[in-house]
Amino acid sequence: MTAAPHVLILGGTTEARLLAAALATGDGAGARPPRVTSSLAGRVAEPRLPAGEVRVGGFGGPDGLARWVREQQVDALIDATHPFAETISFNAARAAATAHVPLLALRRPGWVPGPGDRWHPVASLDEAAGALGGLGERVFLTTGRMGLAAFAHLTEHWFLVRSVDAPEPPAPPRMEVLLARGPFDLAGEAELLRRHRIDVLVTKDSGGQATAAKLTAAREAGLPVVVVRRPPVPAGVPVADDVPQATRWLRARIG
């Protein structure tokens, strides 16, 4: 019997887990379930594990990823990493070209401002830190634990930092850490802003519903929001907005 096609999914996002589950149950691509391997970066201490096989840790750059793809006979590569995981996305594009396997980026759509939103778009965390001067002193920072160094020099601001795992230095000197994992609801987010007397929200344009309630809470409270724009997908890589689009793309390539 011919071996089932092998699909490698990069990322521990909600979309990555949903895709792995769909493929593992035969609801995704092909007449029979493919072999599915999900690769997690290992930055979260207790990740939510997807269906199928799981590997944790890096590949050693694009050459290491290309080597793994060839050795494991991967038939299709899905980049379902976080929209801000720029390095692995470009590594995936280079590896797919080297190994001659099709690559798809699975990206949830970004957030769009609506009436009443006071958004201040910026291109980077450094720009976000620079934008805080005229917006407020008490900051709700929801950009993850890996980017706190960009705000470490701000001594006049107080930060409420929310992340899944505890952050490490360098970090702002005046800071309270809230360890939590989404999804978050509107009532909870509104209470958080009120209780901590937040003046301004800082977030990345991650998209999705799991953490979108903070934007609604900020709008209803009349607060400004500094939004870090997401980096582009590597040139030439097709993009799917959701799991059904991704499975249709896979069916066309691995049957």
Side-chain angles (χ1 to χ4, degrees):
M1 179 181 293
T2 304
H6 188 186
V7 178
L8 174 61
I9 302 174
L10 303 177
T13 59
T14 299
E15 292 74 22
R17 292 193 300 274
L18 290 174
L19 178 59
L23 296 178
T25 57
D27 293 334
R32 58 196 173 108
R35 174 188 172 194
V36 180
T37 302
S38 295
S39 178
L40 311 182
R43 292 179 176 176
V44 177
E46 297 182 3
R48 294 170 175 169
L49 297 180
E53 301 174 34
V54 178
R55 70 175 302 281
V56 178
F59 292 92
D63 293 338
L65 176 54
R67 183 167 54 252
W68 196 94
V69 164
R70 287 193 296 261
E71 291 174 350
Q72 297 297 318
Q73 298 180 320
V74 170
D75 297 287
L77 179 58
I78 307 292
D79 172 16
T81 56
H82 191 277
F84 283 83
E86 188 173 11
T87 298
I88 186 59
S89 292
F90 278 88
N91 286 351
R94 290 179 56 189
T98 299
H100 304 291
V101 298
L103 168 66
L104 176 74
L106 176 55
R107 292 285 188 277
R108 69 191 77 145
W111 291 317
V112 178
D117 281 321
R118 297 173 55 195
W119 285 17
H120 299 261
V122 296
S124 66
L125 291 175
D126 288 333
E127 284 192 20
L132 290 177
L135 297 179
E137 294 182 359
R138 297 182 66 83
V139 183
F140 185 21
L141 188 59
T142 64
T143 56
R145 66 187 180 94
M146 305 300 292
L148 293 188
F151 304 88
H153 66 287
L154 298 178
T155 59
E156 297 183 359
H157 293 76
W158 179 88
F159 291 87
L160 175 64
V161 175
R162 182 165 67 192
S163 62
V164 175
D165 293 320
E168 298 177 355
R174 301 175 61 210
M175 176 182 74
E176 179 178 333
V177 176
L178 174 62
L179 299 182
R181 189 198 301 262
F184 304 104
D185 61 31
L186 178 57
E189 297 292 68
E191 170 60 19
L192 202 65
L193 298 180
R194 186 200 62 77
R195 184 169 72 250
H196 292 280
R197 296 179 288 114
I198 298 299
D199 299 318
V200 55
L201 167 67
V202 179
T203 185
K204 294 177 178 178
D205 179 17
S206 300
Q209 295 301 311
T211 61
K214 62 190 173 187
L215 300 172
T216 304
R219 180 195 312 133
E220 293 182 353
L223 300 182
V225 182
V226 178
V227 180
V228 182
R229 294 188 294 267
R230 58 175 62 179
V233 172
V237 176
V239 179
D241 289 339
D242 54 28
V243 170
Q245 286 185 26
T247 56
R248 287 195 294 271
W249 179 89
L250 277 169
R251 277 196 296 270
R253 282 152 185 84
I254 65 175

